[in-house]
Amino acid sequence: MSVDFAVDRQAWRHLADAQVNVELDTGDMILNLGPQHPATHGTLRLVVRLDGERVISADPVIGYMHRGYEKLTEFRTYPQVTTLINRIDWLSSFANEVPFMHGAELLMGIEAPPRAQYIRTILTELSRIATFMLFLGEMGLQVGALTPPFYGFRDREHVLNMIEAATGGRFHPNFNRIGGLKDDLPWGWVNECRNTMKVVLDACNMLEELVAENEIFEARTRSIGIIPPEVGTGYGVSGSNLRASGVDWDLRRDGKPYLVYPELDFKVWTHPDGDSFSRYWVRLQETREAARMVVQMLDRIPSGPIMAKVPRIIKVPEGEVWVETENPLGQMAYYVISKGATGPFRVKIRSASFSNVSILPWLLRGVYVPDVITVLASLYFILGDIDR
Amino acid sequence: MADDLEREQSGAAEEVSVEQQLARTDEPAAAEQARVDADEADAPPTREQAEGESRPLDDAEQELLARLERELGDGIVESADAFGMLVVRVKPDAWRRAAEVSKHELECDYLSFIAGIDWQPAPREGDEAGGDTSSPVQPTEMTFGVAGSAGRMQVFAHVESTKRHWGVTLKTDVDERDPHAESWVATYPGADWHERECWEMFGVAFDGHPSLRHLYLPSEFEGHPLRKDYPLLARIVKPWPGLVDVEGMPGEEGNGASAAAPAADAAQDAPADADKESS
């Protein structure tokens, strides 16, 4: 049924009125995204002020999962702190343990034996792969593609199996000890891990075809949510998010030497654009790079002990130490202040997602509502890493 | 006896670590550094060590310090090295200027964090700490860490350069009774959340901050949880469940008895809780 506008002038007038009324009625609308919205990845709440479909201002409300880890560390001994910091960024728990253990070792003047350092680095990179694999699949979900997350979850499982085989825990390995590791690798693990890395590289290729080369995905992510490099650094955005803005800075290469990264040959990937797509692309390349690094390390892993000689009761001498590492989500660092007791006096936990998310009020201004979701997803944060 | 054993073991550990460090490092300077590290760790932890002299600064640190001194002049109170990281303490009225200097003169474009420190010793075991006997015992006298402090409260921050690959930790003293510091938001926009966190956790107000409001905690929350005089309420409401597991090992009655004593108390206090935890 159609209206003949040429004849029915009344209909024309009616349409014109409607148009005028809409124009008159514009007012800001406040929309709550979260805390329990499927697209917010946990209990992050975004209070968004909208003008039509466009965001005028966005205010993230955090703290729904605040557990007070900085306070709790003051009531724990050094080995007990590991259990807490495992749960900061729960997708890459092993990588959280490393800087804290490294800090305690520095203060005590202990160094983990080479084999332990290698295993630590391998497991850190495996955590990185596991974390990014989930992201690479899940990012498809945010633009409406339901298939990629299943592939992402499936292939991450291979990596989690390797972590579980070595440490006994899929998510919270709690495997680091001051001066080394709890156990050596199980028999046959090295070969199995090599096979897994092939699976990972295949999965990366598949996800690249499935997601990154998809026309709709590109349309939804290219030139959206652009972080200029100078703004990113000012907000303390780190890790892949910053490298996607063209800042060539990776603590594995540029920071104080830690683990066995100085001995490895790897490329730091950057992308000049700084948009949602480049953040996806950089993580994709970093997943591949991590798999290559793991293979390198598997070839070189030395034999020997996995624990240095450590006193039975761990008392850490007085001092302060700042240890930062390149975690999957960005710069993870601890400022440990010790007063010579069995537990730390104060631990400042510098987690990556906290700063990465603090840019949201700046970043979401002027973005359309559906793009809020993709921008959030492309920043890739873990709520525990924000709230601590 | 246990102490002797511990000392022996720690001594052995350091010997091993020195050898490893020497073996792993190629440059003589790094090897020297490793030896110094080990030597310092060898000595028992003392107050003088932390407050007094520190290791010599390396080239990057000297360059950073020289640039800071050139710009801030007598705004710098003290500087020291902490495991290869420069720590500079500046006067409170030079705090904002320190941020500008860091960003423009030191090329530290990246803000890592801003946080507070409360140097007051935590309450000891017993009633003061709400009967909590499980947490590690800290020294009772107030000591200040690297680069010192004028009083109980401090604000510290870490900035880094993504181009020069160096970083510096800046500290400033904060008045205990009326804690406030200058805000860094104008220089580093990321300081916004860090300062809000520091304000709610330590009660340090930041002059010039656009909106100091609660970040993590509900808006009606009272108190400043990260101050040392704020008790960990969970430990007061309920004894630490790990405590009841402390039992003497079969072969060592002497040690076991002393370790089990507080455990027995806790078990008497809260047998129901203990059962719940173990089930």
Side-chain angles (χ1 to χ4, degrees):
Chain A
M1 199 182 79
S2 66
V3 182
D4 187 351
F5 286 109
V7 176
D8 190 354
R9 295 180 166 253
Q10 201 65 29
W12 271 110
R13 196 175 302 128
H14 181 70
L15 276 177
D17 282 355
Q19 193 61 33
V20 167
N21 284 339
V22 169
E23 287 295 328
L24 285 177
D25 266 4
T26 48
D28 293 352
M29 175 185 164
I30 293 177
L31 182 67
N32 262 303
L33 281 172
Q36 273 130 352
H37 188 274
T40 55
H41 311 267
T43 46
L44 174 76
R45 178 171 153 224
L46 270 179
V47 182
V48 195
R49 205 183 182 83
L50 298 176
D51 176 14
E53 282 279 289
R54 198 177 272 263
V55 176
I56 303 172
S57 69
D59 187 20
V61 181
I62 62 171
Y64 288 95
M65 245 196 72
H66 184 242
R67 296 151 292 178
Y69 279 170
E70 288 184 20
K71 184 77 176 175
L72 291 177
T73 52
E74 294 168 11
F75 292 81
R76 299 283 200 280
T77 62
Y78 283 90
Q80 285 171 343
V81 170
T82 336
T83 319
L84 295 178
I85 58 182
N86 252 290
R87 283 146 179 84
I88 294 174
D89 164 14
W90 50 69
L91 283 188
S92 50
S93 313
F94 188 88
N96 293 337
E97 299 173 13
V98 170
F100 185 81
M101 288 294 140
H102 189 45
E105 286 166 6
L106 275 175
L107 282 167
M108 293 177 77
I110 298 173
E111 197 182 2
R115 185 173 172 83
Q117 301 269 20
Y118 263 87
I119 297 174
R120 277 182 184 179
T121 322
I122 291 172
L123 287 172
T124 305
E125 290 306 314
L126 286 182
S127 310
R128 192 184 311 276
I129 296 170
T131 310
F132 284 175
M133 201 54 96
L134 186 61
F135 166 80
L136 295 175
E138 187 202 43
M139 185 73 187
L141 185 67
Q142 312 299 331
V143 298
L146 285 174
T147 317
F150 291 106
Y151 287 122
F153 271 104
R154 184 194 67 184
D155 295 322
R156 183 181 73 137
E157 204 62 24
H158 297 291
V159 182
L160 288 182
N161 284 343
M162 294 317 297
I163 296 178
E164 188 183 7
T167 67
R170 278 157 51 84
F171 279 92
H172 302 303
N174 219 343
F175 195 55
N176 271 298
R177 299 290 182 268
I178 291 176
L181 295 167
K182 178 175 167 285
D183 275 320
D184 207 335
L185 294 174
W187 188 82
W189 193 87
V190 170
N191 275 333
E192 194 57 41
C193 192
R194 227 178 243 126
N195 293 337
T196 307
M197 289 307 107
K198 284 187 196 124
V199 174
V200 167
L201 287 172
D202 286 349
C204 284
N205 293 342
M206 186 184 63
L207 283 167
E208 183 171 30
E209 283 176 27
L210 206 57
V211 183
E213 291 176 3
N214 184 301
E215 202 176 322
I216 301 170
F217 181 79
E218 286 204 40
R220 291 289 309 277
T221 53
R222 286 255 192 211
S223 65
I224 285 165
I226 296 176
I227 303 178
E230 65 281 359
V231 176
T233 52
Y235 274 98
V237 173
S238 56
S240 321
N241 290 328
L242 195 58
R243 284 190 289 278
S245 297
V247 179
D248 191 10
W249 186 53
D250 189 321
L251 290 168
R252 289 175 288 176
R253 184 193 63 189
D254 305 326
K256 294 231 160 50
Y258 72 101
L259 297 182
V260 298
Y261 289 115
E263 299 168 25
L264 295 180
D265 174 31
F266 64 99
K267 179 175 161 61
V268 175
W269 292 87
T270 59
H271 197 289
D273 287 356
D275 55 8
S276 297
F277 180 84
S278 58
R279 290 192 276 277
Y280 186 90
W281 187 86
V282 165
R283 289 208 179 86
L284 179 68
Q285 303 305 334
E286 285 185 355
T287 314
R288 289 175 170 152
E289 201 64 45
R292 285 184 210 118
M293 285 159 85
V294 169
V295 173
Q296 270 185 50
M297 285 183 277
L298 292 175
D299 292 340
R300 294 186 200 169
I301 184 165
S303 58
I306 49 150
M307 268 303 271
K309 280 189 181 151
V310 177
R312 200 163 55 109
I313 299 164
I314 289 178
K315 273 196 174 173
V316 175
E318 197 166 341
E320 291 180 18
V321 69
W322 161 259
V323 179
E324 52 185 3
T325 56
E326 186 71 36
N327 270 29
L329 297 178
Q331 183 200 35
M332 174 97 209
Y334 298 90
Y335 196 104
V336 185
I337 300 175
S338 171
K339 287 209 170 179
T342 50
F345 180 75
R346 162 119 172 83
V347 180
K348 166 66 198 170
I349 302 168
R350 195 275 177 205
S351 59
S353 297
F354 179 80
S355 295
N356 287 353
V357 167
S358 75
I359 199 176
L360 279 179
W362 186 91
L363 187 61
L364 290 181
R365 215 174 294 147
V367 166
Y368 288 100
V369 174
D371 295 337
V372 170
I373 309 302
T374 54
V375 169
L376 275 182
S378 74
L379 278 176
Y380 200 40
F381 50 84
I382 301 294
L383 253 294
D385 205 35
I386 302 174
D387 284 354
R388 298 189 301 257
Chain B
M1 195 194 110
D3 283 348
D4 290 345
L5 187 67
E6 187 190 325
R7 216 169 292 136
E8 271 173 35
Q9 283 179 342
S10 70
E14 271 135 23
E15 279 165 29
V16 170
S17 74
V18 173
E19 280 164 20
Q20 281 167 352
Q21 279 167 338
L22 290 179
R24 287 167 58 84
T25 49
D26 299 323
E27 303 148 68
E32 182 62 31
Q33 187 66 31
R35 204 175 292 127
V36 173
D37 282 354
D39 284 349
E40 288 218 354
D42 209 11
T46 57
R47 193 175 156 180
E48 286 76 29
Q49 191 186 340
E51 280 193 1
E53 88 311 336
S54 59
R55 265 152 294 201
L57 306 179
D58 63 26
D59 291 345
E61 288 177 312
Q62 275 172 355
E63 170 72 21
L64 280 168
L65 188 59
R67 289 191 192 191
L68 271 172
E69 275 171 346
R70 195 174 63 218
E71 293 295 325
L72 291 175
D74 57 359
I76 294 176
V77 185
E78 212 176 319
S79 63
D81 165 273
F83 295 93
M85 172 197 58
L86 181 66
V87 186
V88 178
R89 185 168 136 229
V90 301
K91 285 184 181 157
D93 53 1
W95 183 241
R96 179 175 296 150
R97 179 87 188 109
E100 288 160 9
V101 170
S102 306
K103 183 156 188 176
H104 299 116
E105 303 300 323
L106 307 184
E107 299 168 60
C108 288
D109 49 352
Y110 175 86
L111 175 74
S112 194
F113 75 84
I114 300 174
I117 313 175
D118 181 358
W119 290 106
Q120 179 179 280
R124 287 294 288 254
E125 307 173 9
D127 291 339
E128 236 186 320
D132 175 21
T133 53
S134 58
S135 52
V137 180
Q138 302 283 356
T140 44
E141 75 277 22
M142 182 148 55
T143 55
F144 306 119
V146 176
S149 172
R152 177 187 158 190
M153 301 289 285
Q154 267 192 325
V155 167
F156 70 132
H158 189 83
V159 290
E160 279 173 58
S161 170
T162 55
K163 295 178 201 79
R164 304 293 299 260
H165 306 153
W166 60 24
V168 59
T169 300
L170 295 158
K171 289 186 179 179
T172 191
D173 307 324
V174 167
D175 184 40
E176 184 184 328
R177 273 177 223 96
D178 174 27
H180 63 96
E182 293 170 342
S183 171
W184 278 19
V185 175
T187 317
Y188 295 104
D192 184 354
W193 281 24
H194 290 285
E195 287 176 356
R196 276 169 70 188
E197 186 191 358
C198 186
W199 170 75
E200 74 175 1
M201 292 297 172
F202 288 93
V204 180
F206 286 88
D207 308 334
H209 189 283
S211 63
L212 275 181
R213 53 207 162 94
H214 280 287
L215 182 69
Y216 285 132
L217 305 171
S219 50
E220 63 271 16
F221 193 91
E222 287 177 15
H224 304 293
L226 274 180
R227 288 192 179 186
K228 287 285 180 183
D229 50 14
Y230 192 95
L232 183 60
L233 295 171
R235 289 286 176 90
I236 292 173
V237 175
K238 189 178 154 192
W240 175 234
L243 204 62
V244 294
D245 298 336
V246 180
E247 281 174 23
M249 294 299 281
E252 32 185 272
E253 282 81 12
N255 293 337
S258 62
D265 292 346
Q268 279 169 7
D269 288 344
D273 287 338
D275 291 344
K276 221 180 288 166
E277 284 301 323
S278 60
S279 62

